[in-house]
Amino acid sequence: GENVEQHPSTLSVQEGDSAVIKCTYSDSASNYFPWYKQELGKRPQLIIDIRSNVGEKKDQRIAVTLNKTAKHFSLHITETQPEDSAVYFCAATISGGGADGLTFGKGTHLIIQP
Amino acid sequence: ETGVTQTPRHLVMGMTNKKSLKCEQHLGHNAMYWYKQSAKKPLELMFVYSLEERVENNSVPSRFSPECPNSSHLFLHLHTLQPEDSALYLCASSHNVRDTQYFGPGTRLTVL
């Protein structure tokens, strides 16, 4: 089955700086990679996703890059703000087939220092 | 925010109690999931249902028993739990298995 590794487990950055969270996956057939943000006491929510037919996707201050050859994908947050503080989870799966849902990374606790 | 709902939001139970967690989705999805979230394992998949059929059971102890009477409802029946079962239990749904998942607010369970 799929295995997803996520690094770092904790990331502290100054407000206004950029943050990068990296994930690697094991199954080369995986083709769908969502990112979830979970604020303290709240549910995980999808913030951005990417499919294997593109290498990069942006949504305002958030971007995700995918390197299929190396089997890794990354979340980039620019101009970080206090409300970006949360736990971020990456995930991978083979969309459209199989029966085991998303495989999640262990999460990164992002701390934005004022 | 109200697409996936869970009740109760908080539950305290003794080890000999029997209780049930309820999840309901209003998104017309075909797949539903139970996750356990704790400090040790941030998002641990427990059960997957697709079109009301269980398709995945990740070696979950039998003291957790899922039920999916229809594609909109999912239950998790609990009996003779252990203190280490204390965690946040999250329900999620997706259009089909392996599609984007939408999470409920979770039930915070404490086992005394």
Side-chain angles (χ1 to χ4, degrees), chain A residues 11-87:
Chain A
L11 177 61
S12 181
V13 300
Q14 290 294 124
E15 183 178 348
D17 287 351
S18 295
V20 181
I21 301 170
K22 298 181 180 181
C23 289
T24 59
Y25 59 99
S26 61
D27 191 341
S28 57
S30 288
N31 58 6
Y32 175 60
F33 309 92
W35 284 89
Y36 287 83
K37 174 184 180 182
Q38 186 175 25
E39 297 177 62
L40 187 63
K42 296 189 176 180
R43 74 189 77 190
Q45 291 196 300
L46 179 74
I47 54 172
I48 195 167
D49 57 13
I50 191 168
R51 298 188 184 271
S52 59
N53 57 345
V54 297
E56 184 176 4
K57 184 176 179 180
K58 285 185 179 180
D59 183 3
Q60 299 183 334
R61 297 186 296 108
I62 295 173
V64 57
T65 58
L66 171 65
N67 183 328
K68 288 185 291 183
T69 304
K71 290 189 286 187
H72 67 71
F73 57 111
S74 300
L75 178 71
H76 304 254
I77 306 174
T78 58
E79 300 172 16
T80 53
Q81 300 171 3
E83 54 265 35
D84 295 329
S85 293
V87 178

Side-chain angles (χ1 to χ4, degrees), chain A residues 32 36 38 45 94 97 100, chain B residues 1 37 42 98 100-101 103-104:
Chain A
Y32 175 60
Y36 287 83
Q38 186 175 25
Q45 291 196 300
I94 304 170
D100 54 357
Chain B
E1 286 287 336
Q37 189 172 43
R98 295 187 170 183
T100 303
Q101 292 181 19
F103 286 85

